[in-house]
Amino acid sequence: MTGLLVIMGSGETAPTMVKPHREIFQRCGDRPAVLLDTPYGFQENADDISAKAVKYFADSTGRGLSVLTWRTAPAPGLPLERALTGLREAGWLFAGPGSPTYALRQWAETPFPSVLVEVLESDGVVCFASAAALTLGSHTIPVYEIYKAGTDPHWVPGLDLFHQVTGLPAVIIPHYDNAEGGHHDTRYCYLGERRLAMLEPLLPPEAFIIGVDEHTAGLFDLAARTVTVVGNGGLTLRRGGNSQRWPAGTTLPFSVFTGTVLVPGNDLAPTPAPADPPPLTSLAASTQETTARFDACLEARDPDGCVAAALDLEQALQDWIADTDVSDEREQARAALRGMLVRLGSFAGPDRFTPLVSALVDLRTAARAGRDWALSDSLRDVLASANVTIQDTPAGPSWSAE
């Protein structure tokens, strides 16, 4: 087996992962790059998600992607064979956000898993992120059912592809360091420690957990039998409630996960998982930092500093506009920006207010171009709350303030 299996914890279409994507694409040369839409195929905005992902990769890596539609299992015969041929021809095959259990229902009882193995055997790249990454292990967390619908914690059978190509009987958990919950624990793909501790003893004795942090990837080189951690976070081995974590920049042999080799500087003696959620990262970190700066400037009656903080948050939203992740971070950033604008309007003069309004209008234009109607509408409401009216004209948008 000579291919590269890439497992991303999240951030698959975020600015944080542009560099890893570029380096990964160098490996597959000019072979076709294929986006698989299965995990989010049940969503009404599936076409928009595909379009945003295609644009992200074109803009950030210069690579064109073709979208292979497998929203439901293709009918036997010509439809199925066409889809399988498209998969086999891929040098880079990507699947990402959505529902892992929905994806498994479409892929189970089809040749899909065996074709993924064929891609890896032909020195191709299989890059699975977020929901798709959850399907790779022997068991899968039904995230939506547990976290959103309140179903009792349980496992569902996964593709077991990771075991097949690496020889490691692992369960894959992305979003491992998630901290969206604030005061409640949403680590371990929204399970938290209490629910993961309930589930872990239900795994087979030989099984263990590999956790991949958000905005982080594990690059599993099947020929070299090594994994390299890249991105912002780390990769964690968890067995029997004890954990060992390696940060980005680390390269490990597969044998580390079986406990047969000790890596210098990374003693494999079990260490407890952190008691508190890790610090916020990415767009959430920008929201937190700019809000704190805005509040300090507001208290100091410094309108220029307030405008600068709001503009920095607007730029962060602009940087993350192509991200297809369905987390709450963007809504939190929008809410923070709305609050800044309303409070800023209470004492900032019109001349100081103009750069921020112009930036928000430009961001709304970019959101409309990217078919991000939720962000576009939210920005319109933000501006309306400050008595700013936008008019869309053939020559572009214009605005006026009362």
Side-chain angles (χ1 to χ4, degrees):
M1 190 91 50
T2 59
L4 183 70
L5 177 61
V6 179
I7 301 178
M8 291 189 171
S10 79
E12 55 271 12
T13 53
T16 50
M17 301 307 289
V18 169
K19 182 179 178 181
H21 280 308
R22 288 175 177 169
E23 294 174 352
I24 292 166
F25 273 124
Q26 291 178 1
R27 176 171 179 132
C28 60
D30 295 329
R31 297 171 64 186
V34 174
L35 166 67
L36 189 62
D37 63 3
T38 313
Y40 55 85
F42 65 97
Q43 297 181 208
E44 292 296 321
N45 65 336
D47 286 338
D48 289 344
I49 295 174
S50 294
K52 289 176 69 173
V54 169
K55 186 176 188 302
Y56 166 85
F57 283 104
D59 291 347
S60 62
T61 71
R63 288 298 297 255
L65 270 61
S66 61
V67 179
L68 193 154
T69 295
W70 189 308
R71 298 183 187 178
T72 58
L78 184 58
L80 178 60
E81 293 306 318
R82 280 177 173 166
L84 295 176
T85 298
L87 294 174
R88 291 189 177 102
E89 292 176 348
W92 179 93
L93 180 60
F94 172 84
S99 165
T101 48
Y102 178 84
L104 286 170
R105 289 197 299 272
Q106 313 316 315
W107 293 336
E109 309 301 326
T110 77
F112 176 80
S114 61
V115 173
L116 292 185
V117 175
E118 290 181 37
V119 172
L120 292 169
E121 288 177 336
S122 64
D123 201 29
V125 175
V126 172
C127 181
F128 271 29
S130 303
L134 277 161
T135 70
L136 292 173
S138 61
H139 296 73
T140 298
I141 301 169
V143 179
Y144 279 67
E145 293 85 341
I146 295 174
Y147 186 62
K148 296 292 187 180
T151 301
D152 289 340
H154 64 285
W155 300 106
V156 298
L159 297 177
D160 207 20
L161 178 79
F162 187 81
H163 188 191
Q164 185 175 351
V165 300
T166 66
L168 302 172
V171 170
I172 307 299
I173 301 184
H175 295 280
Y176 202 72
D177 63 341
N178 181 272
E180 288 178 29
H183 297 297
H184 69 277
D185 188 0
T186 53
R187 289 172 297 167
Y188 319 138
C189 203
Y190 306 95
L191 282 179
E193 175 61 33
R194 181 184 66 85
R195 286 182 289 205
L196 183 57
M198 293 169 58
L199 284 172
E200 194 172 10
L202 303 179
L203 292 172
E206 70 278 8
F208 53 85
I209 291 167
I210 293 179
V212 186
D213 287 349
E214 298 189 324
H215 306 283
T216 305
L219 279 54
F220 291 83
D221 188 319
L222 303 181
R225 296 191 62 77
T226 61
V227 55
T228 299
V229 188
V230 299
N232 288 358
L235 183 144
T236 299
L237 165 65
R238 175 168 170 143
R239 181 185 284 114
N242 297 307
S243 299
Q244 175 70 33
R245 181 180 182 274
W246 295 273
T250 306
T251 297
L252 306 164
F254 286 1
S255 53
V256 162
F257 298 101
T258 65
T260 59
V261 173
L262 291 178
V263 179
N266 285 282
D267 186 0
L268 286 180
T271 56
D276 298 320
L280 295 175
T281 57
S282 310
L283 181 56
S286 296
T287 302
Q288 186 179 65
E289 187 276 327
T290 53
T291 299
R293 185 151 42 94
F294 181 94
D295 290 344
C297 292
L298 189 66
E299 184 176 355
R301 310 301 291 175
D302 175 11
D304 289 342
C306 289
V307 170
L311 285 171
D312 286 346
L313 181 54
E314 178 275 333
Q315 183 59 55
L317 273 165
Q318 177 71 44
D319 292 341
W320 288 82
I321 199 169
D323 190 17
T324 57
D325 193 3
V326 294
S327 74
D328 295 332
E329 290 186 9
R330 290 209 303 177
E331 184 52 43
Q332 292 167 358
R334 294 171 194 159
L337 190 57
R338 287 194 293 269
M340 288 180 186
L341 191 57
V342 170
R343 288 185 290 162
L344 184 60
S346 65
F347 81 101
D351 291 341
R352 287 173 170 147
F353 202 56
T354 296
L356 177 57
V357 174
S358 297
L360 292 174
V361 172
D362 290 344
L363 178 58
R364 177 177 176 268
T365 301
R368 286 166 63 87
R371 300 171 65 85
D372 190 341
W373 310 120
L375 177 57
S376 173
D377 292 344
S378 178
L379 290 169
R380 179 199 60 207
D381 295 342
V382 166
L383 293 165
S385 68
N387 297 319
V388 174
T389 302
I390 299 178
Q391 292 182 328
D392 293 307
T393 70
S398 63
W399 63 272
S400 60
E402 297 179 5

